[in-house]
Amino acid sequence: MNIKGLFINGKPVIKQRTYDLRSPYHGGTIATISMADQEDVNRAIDGAQAAFEVMKEMHAYQRSEILLRVVRIFEERKEELARVLVQEAGKPIRNARGEIDRTIATYQLAAEEAKRIYGETIPMDAAPGGENRIGFTWREPLGVVVAISPFNFPFNLVAHKLGPAIAAGNTVVLKPAEQTPLSAYLTAEIFQQAGLPDGAVQVVSGSGRELSDALILDPRVKKITFTGSSQVGKAIKAKAGLRKVTLELGSNSGLIVEPDVPLEKVIQRCVEGAFSFAGQVCISLQRIYVHESIYEDFSKRFIERTKQLKVGDPSEETTDISAMITPRELERIESWVTEAVKQGAKIGIGGARNGTIFPPTVLLNVTRDMAVSCQETFAPVVSIVPYKEQDEAINMVNDSVYGLNVGIYTQNIMNALHAARKLESGGVIINDIPTFRLDHMPYGGVKESGYGREGIKYAVEEMTELKFVTMKTTF
């Protein structure tokens, strides 16, 4: 039996306790995965702490060169890595290649940012008593960073944690999602091949519930970066104490469509935003608020375009949507849709599971108290709701415990800027879907959508400490 080991201090560690990793699509076993215990986590942190002594002395250009070598290896192995995403995440192959492209871009940005970790000079004589003094700042790495990553973008969201951490001179203990450990192992091996010191990236796979306290409570851990549910994020923040934390959590992203928008130019994009990777995206388009004058036309066009999506095997080139990540998630969203229908929602298309797949589903007559609206569906389910005035639509978007990305389509610049001011979210996307993200832009939410910001430059700031130095120039 071929068992995949943990990755600690540059070597695989095979464990007796394992679990079978199954394909989300066909359910067959694709690998046997070692399960870490608390002792393994302690050893990983030991090694990361030792490696930090090397990393913090490494020059910026050396860290940048390692990240550039990572970029080149990802480019060389692009198709192989994309196929891993098809296997372990059930991601359609075209989407998988797109994720590898983004991962390459993220590490490229990190390589560049490694050379742009700036300080500033402080005009000490701006205040009485500051005469004959100079002041300046620089940024220093924190030390050991614990990174806990989700299943939905197992290469690129790991890159958003490893890239800035390594650029800044930190070391990382990575805990990948139980469903997607293969991509984490491969990433660690690629970093080793690129010349990263042993121990600077450690990978411990297994149960998050079993390992979380060992990862979070160890005082040698100086920073925790987590992507996942709001419930778990709040628990992590409560345990982290005074240490730095970045949390990228839930969302039920909304979009406002104004009456002046040419629908033929936005429908396809909206369908992509709602159903890409079966809606298992943090900023998947979940709620669409359409002006009442175009509501019927928009809904009809949206449903017709949705009918054209191909559902099936993620390894096939033409597949648009494939399996939900686990049977439990499939059952959850099916129950939410059933409940919504009982409460008065109408199914425009979809709504019934087919094997491991939940089809793209459009719901009409949805009210704010339905789970498919007020909670995060994380599934290929979208609701279309009419509104009368823009402020009404803004209030409906804001009527949420979440606030990650929201969007508005409009040709009126005054309306666009008014919405940007009033919408309660970390990002406002004008004339595109809230699912839009580039890997160098600041990314993070308000309310229960998170704490702190990702995006390479901003993550580097969150993974460093500002130090102030002043010197008196005369005695």
Side-chain angles (χ1 to χ4, degrees):
M1 180 170 58
N2 182 23
I3 301 175
K4 296 292 184 180
L6 318 176
F7 193 86
I8 298 177
N9 298 329
K11 297 182 178 65
V13 177
I14 306 299
K15 303 291 292 184
Q16 286 189 335
R17 196 163 67 113
T18 63
Y19 67 95
D20 288 338
L21 180 64
R22 298 185 179 278
S23 161
Y25 177 65
H26 58 67
T29 299
I30 55 178
T32 301
I33 307 299
S34 291
M35 294 186 70
D37 55 27
Q38 292 190 9
E39 184 179 337
D40 296 312
V41 172
N42 290 334
R43 285 203 301 130
I45 295 174
D46 283 342
Q49 182 67 37
F52 178 59
E53 297 303 313
V54 178
M55 287 296 296
K56 70 180 182 181
E57 300 299 329
M58 190 179 289
H59 300 300
Y61 78 88
Q62 294 173 310
R63 301 193 302 269
S64 179
E65 286 175 349
I66 289 171
L67 288 161
L68 287 173
R69 286 195 288 272
V70 168
V71 167
R72 288 194 287 272
I73 296 168
F74 265 88
E75 289 173 336
E76 292 165 0
R77 299 175 65 178
K78 176 179 174 179
E79 187 65 18
E80 170 200 352
L81 300 176
R83 294 288 171 182
V84 170
L85 291 175
V86 172
Q87 283 188 306
E88 68 175 359
K91 183 165 286 192
I93 183 61
R94 287 181 290 123
N95 297 99
R97 292 189 188 111
E99 179 176 343
I100 302 303
D101 284 338
R102 283 188 60 187
T103 303
I104 290 167
T106 300
Y107 284 125
Q108 178 75 46
L109 290 164
E112 296 165 2
E113 209 59 47
K115 299 181 179 182
R116 292 198 291 255
I117 304 175
Y118 300 126
E120 63 178 346
T121 57
I122 311 298
M124 300 301 292
D125 61 352
E131 302 89 345
N132 301 315
R133 297 176 188 270
I134 60 172
F136 51 92
T137 63
W138 64 59
R139 305 198 75 92
E140 295 181 341
L142 300 174
V144 178
V145 175
V146 160
I148 304 173
S149 61
F151 73 83
N152 56 338
F153 287 87
F155 278 115
N156 194 41
L157 292 186
V158 164
H160 272 280
K161 301 180 188 307
L162 265 58
I166 300 305
N170 297 298
T171 58
V172 182
V173 177
L174 171 64
K175 163 62 180 72
E178 290 178 59
Q179 183 59 40
T180 52
L182 300 180
S183 48
Y185 297 148
L186 284 166
T187 297
E189 292 168 7
I190 288 170
F191 266 97
Q192 183 183 46
Q193 185 182 345
L196 190 71
D198 288 348
V201 170
Q202 316 271 52
V203 181
V204 288
S205 51
S207 167
R209 186 175 292 105
E210 292 179 13
L211 302 179
S212 61
D213 280 358
L215 288 164
I216 294 164
L217 298 179
D218 193 304
R220 295 169 296 175
V221 173
K222 304 303 181 186
K223 159 88 181 183
I224 302 147
T225 173
F226 168 78
T227 301
S229 73
S230 297
Q231 180 183 3
V232 175
K234 285 188 277 189
I236 288 172
K237 194 169 187 298
K239 294 176 181 179
L242 298 178
R243 291 170 297 164
K244 290 195 170 192
V245 175
T246 298
L247 305 172
E248 199 275 279
L249 308 176
S251 178
N252 58 350
S253 293
L255 171 70
I256 298 170
V257 182
E258 297 237 287
D260 59 354
V261 172
L263 296 185
E264 71 279 3
K265 295 185 178 180
V266 305
I267 289 292
Q268 180 168 336
R269 185 68 169 151
C270 291
V271 170
E272 290 172 3
F275 302 129
S276 180
F277 190 37
Q280 299 171 124
V281 180
C282 298
I283 43 179
S284 182
L285 176 53
Q286 182 175 328
R287 301 176 295 151
I288 307 176
Y289 298 100
V290 182
H291 190 269
E292 61 181 6
S293 65
I294 58 170
Y295 171 77
E296 295 293 339
D297 190 16
F298 180 95
S299 300
K300 181 180 178 181
R301 289 172 184 250
F302 190 97
I303 291 168
E304 287 302 314
R305 180 66 187 90
T306 300
K307 290 177 181 177
Q308 299 173 27
L309 297 175
K310 181 177 178 183
V311 177
D313 187 336
S315 65
E316 293 183 2
E317 295 287 342
T318 55
T319 295
D320 296 303
I321 296 176
S322 191
M324 296 285 291
I325 194 67
T326 64
R328 183 177 62 184
E329 287 299 291
L330 186 65
E331 292 163 6
R332 174 189 60 81
I333 193 58
E334 184 177 45
S335 71
W336 284 15
V337 171
T338 300
E339 179 187 39
V341 171
K342 288 180 180 178
Q343 294 172 330
K346 177 184 175 183
I347 295 176
I349 188 174
R353 63 189 287 182
N354 180 13
T356 59
I357 296 172
F358 199 84
T361 297
V362 178
L363 296 177
L364 309 172
N365 298 340
V366 171
T367 57
R368 63 168 298 279
D369 56 322
M370 295 177 182
V372 293
S373 177
C374 66
Q375 298 186 46
E376 181 179 34
T377 58
F378 222 62
V381 176
V382 65
S383 59
I384 307 176
V385 178
Y387 72 89
K388 293 181 179 180
E389 303 290 340
Q390 189 195 52
D391 281 343
E392 178 193 6
I394 291 171
N395 290 336
M396 287 193 288
V397 171
N398 288 342
D399 185 18
S400 171
V401 297
Y402 301 115
L404 189 49
N405 272 13
V406 299
I408 178 170
Y409 277 111
T410 180
Q411 296 194 67
N412 185 314
I413 190 169
M414 300 299 289
N415 286 355
L417 295 177
H418 174 72
R421 290 283 187 187
K422 295 293 184 181
L423 288 165
E424 298 168 359
S425 61
V428 176
I429 314 299
I430 298 173
N431 287 334
D432 206 347
I433 51 177
T435 323
F436 172 79
R437 182 185 180 186
L438 296 177
D439 295 292
H440 63 293
M441 64 190 241
Y443 178 75
V446 299
K447 299 189 274 191
E448 291 194 14
S449 282
Y451 185 85
R453 291 294 180 271
E454 291 189 337
I456 301 301
K457 172 187 173 182
Y458 309 94
V460 166
E461 291 177 358
E462 303 248 2
M463 292 186 180
T464 53
E465 198 68 72
L466 186 69
K467 178 174 280 187
F468 170 70
V469 180
T470 185
M471 181 172 65
K472 192 175 180 182
T473 57
T474 61
F475 287 100

